[in-house]
Amino acid sequence: MEIEHKQEWEVFKAELTNTLTQDQYKLLCRLHSIYYNHKYHEPCSCNPARLLQWIEDINKIYDKERT
């Protein structure tokens, strides 16, 4: 994970609440598209399960880089 992305993700995790801000949402979509090699996509916010899965996906990469 690139240093800039790590820093952005650290801020994301520190500021995460029960709802995503627009900036957090776009960051999540951007990072997931980069690290899971797919076209940028903004899933419907009516489906929080997918967004929660994406957060877990990025956390896996972030945590792997820290060890």
Side-chain angles (χ1 to χ4, degrees):
M1 184 175 244
E2 294 181 23
I3 292 171
E4 178 183 345
H5 295 161
K6 279 185 189 179
Q7 291 170 341
E8 290 174 315
W9 194 247
E10 287 168 358
V11 170
F12 175 95
K13 288 174 61 154
E15 296 178 350
L16 188 60
T17 63
N18 288 334
T19 57
L20 293 176
T21 66
Q22 190 67 20
D23 288 341
Q24 289 171 325
Y25 177 73
K26 291 189 178 295
L27 175 66
L28 175 61
C29 295
R30 182 171 54 87
L31 291 180
H32 199 275
S33 71
I34 291 169
Y35 291 102
Y36 284 87
N37 199 28
H38 62 81
K39 195 174 196 177
Y40 180 88
H41 171 68
E42 294 184 358
C44 179
S45 60
C46 64
N47 182 5
R50 173 172 274 180
L51 297 174
L52 290 171
Q53 181 60 54
W54 281 18
I55 291 170
E56 287 181 32
D57 291 344
I58 302 298
N59 277 333
K60 287 177 191 174
I61 293 173
Y62 175 81
D63 291 341
K64 189 187 321 183
E65 294 283 326
R66 291 181 53 199
T67 58

